Amino acid sequence: GSLRAMAERTTVLATTVGPYLRHGDGVVEACARAGTDYVDLTGEAEFVDATYLRHHPTAVRTGARLVHACGFDSVPHDLGAWFTVGLLDPGRPITVHAHVRANGRFSGGTAASALGFLGRIPQGLRVARQRRGVEDPPDRPVRLGLGPWREQGDWSLPFPSLDPRVVLRSAAALPRYGTSFTYTHNLVVGPLPLVAGAVVGVAALTALAQIPPVRTALEARVPAGSGPDAAQRRRGHFEVRFHGSDGRRQVTTSVRGGDPGYDETSKMLAEAALCLALDDLPEVAGQTTTAVAMGGALVDRLVARGIPFEVLDDQPRSEH
């Protein structure tokens, strides 16, 4: 009842209460029923798919816009891809390769969300299949590709986050992504020895996360509410580079900023909420993405807040 009352007395509701799979569904339900716009910071794919199945039809009926992942997951990637394809020919097939560099400390909530994802991979895959079974087919072929594996001299590995799923959902809905769209999403790791260490570390953490008592013990090492101090945040930074091509033209763009997990994420969430509340936007309802719901309006807001979207290179490409 309190969640319903909260949703009914506002225009846009923003929530940072994670892990969202544990704490978030009631807020989404309240907003969907009230016709209230909703934004959050989740990077939990299972939560996003589950709320689509449960609440998307209600939100379509009431007019609520439910926009997940309005922080570092997944605003720079979703809007960066949107910005990049806008430089290319929508009448041709488009490919975009994204490479993420990030340096920042994560919070207790982020750690719990990540461990929850690793410990629930089978459940997440099952919910994803259920969602694919009820979603409308995309307006154009969209696919997630692999590679390239190097970026500016460093090794870059496929990163199985929520981000590429969000980008592909935007591409499925908007004509600017070409007659077909292929996207790759990599995390820049560094020299080859770091690649081996990262692969072994992720494999070990995934195995440990399958054991509930161990997962609980790992969560306790980074408790809820903990996070980096101001000095640590000042050292944080990120850059996402996008290499886009339509076969005749190739472009390189970037989205960059300071501390990704706190300082810039705070701007992204706040500006997304303000954008939904105040800006002239497309007519959209139901669970959607930042690119579909806000697009250029949110890009303009972020640029004004010190998160630049830049064209680094733009040149014709030989088709031979």
Side-chain angles (χ1 to χ4, degrees):
S2 65
L3 294 179
R4 184 170 61 250
M6 176 173 62
E8 288 175 349
R9 66 174 180 262
T10 190
T11 301
V12 182
L13 191 152
T15 174
T16 64
V17 183
Y20 289 89
L21 196 60
R22 190 179 303 166
H23 303 300
D25 187 76
V27 186
V28 182
E29 179 182 20
C31 288
R33 290 186 175 185
T36 296
D37 293 335
Y38 166 97
V39 293
D40 68 22
L41 295 177
T42 191
E44 301 166 51
E46 183 184 351
F47 173 72
V48 172
D49 290 337
T51 57
Y52 181 91
L53 291 168
R54 294 170 184 155
H55 309 306
H56 174 72
T58 301
V60 169
R61 177 175 53 81
T62 64
R65 293 170 289 190
L66 309 178
V67 191
H68 295 294
C70 290
F72 185 64
D73 288 315
S74 298
V75 168
H77 318 98
D78 191 29
L79 292 183
W82 179 93
F83 175 76
T84 302
V85 299
L87 302 168
L88 300 171
D89 183 353
R92 297 179 60 83
I94 290 176
T95 298
V96 173
H97 302 296
H99 296 271
V100 185
R101 294 178 184 267
N103 176 45
R105 295 280 297 273
F106 52 81
S107 69
T110 298
S113 293
L115 288 167
F117 162 74
L118 293 174
R120 294 180 57 87
I121 291 175
Q123 295 93 324
L125 293 173
R126 183 173 64 250
V127 176
R129 284 194 300 271
Q130 292 171 350
R131 176 174 180 172
R132 288 195 297 270
V134 301
E135 276 187 305
D136 293 332
D139 292 339
R140 66 201 44 78
V142 297
R143 62 180 290 269
L144 181 64
L146 291 175
W149 302 85
R150 301 297 294 273
E151 167 66 8
Q152 297 178 282
D154 288 324
W155 286 92
S156 182
L157 299 181
F159 190 51
S161 65
L162 177 64
D163 305 319
R165 302 191 192 193
V166 172
V167 171
L168 291 180
R169 285 176 184 133
S170 297
L174 296 173
R176 70 190 281 133
Y177 289 78
T179 56
S180 66
F181 181 73
T182 301
Y183 180 70
T184 72
H185 189 82
N186 284 19
L187 178 67
V188 179
V189 178
L192 195 58
L194 288 181
V195 173
V199 171
V200 171
V202 170
L205 188 61
T206 302
L208 292 172
Q210 308 311 305
I211 308 169
V214 175
R215 187 166 66 244
T216 301
L218 290 172
E219 281 189 30
R221 295 182 65 85
V222 190
S226 66
D229 59 28
Q232 292 169 327
R233 294 199 305 274
R234 282 194 293 272
R235 294 193 291 271
H237 56 85
F238 79 87
E239 182 184 31
V240 191
R241 287 205 175 197
F242 301 87
H243 303 283
S245 174
D246 61 14
R248 291 179 177 168
R249 185 179 182 189
Q250 55 187 10
V251 298
T252 300
T253 67
S254 81
V255 182
R256 57 184 173 84
D259 174 66
Y262 277 80
D263 294 355
E264 306 299 53
T265 279
S266 299
K267 296 177 188 177
M268 294 171 197
L269 181 71
E271 294 299 337
L274 290 167
C275 190
L276 289 176
L278 303 175
D279 294 350
D280 184 16
L281 300 173
E283 291 292 329
V284 176
Q287 186 169 303
T288 184
T289 68
T290 52
V292 174
M294 292 172 266
L298 184 52
V299 169
D300 291 344
R301 283 180 167 274
L302 295 177
V303 170
R305 295 285 285 148
I307 301 176
F309 288 64
E310 298 175 312
V311 180
L312 304 180
D313 190 37
D314 184 351
Q315 59 185 319
R317 177 179 179 182
S318 171
E319 295 190 69
H320 301 290

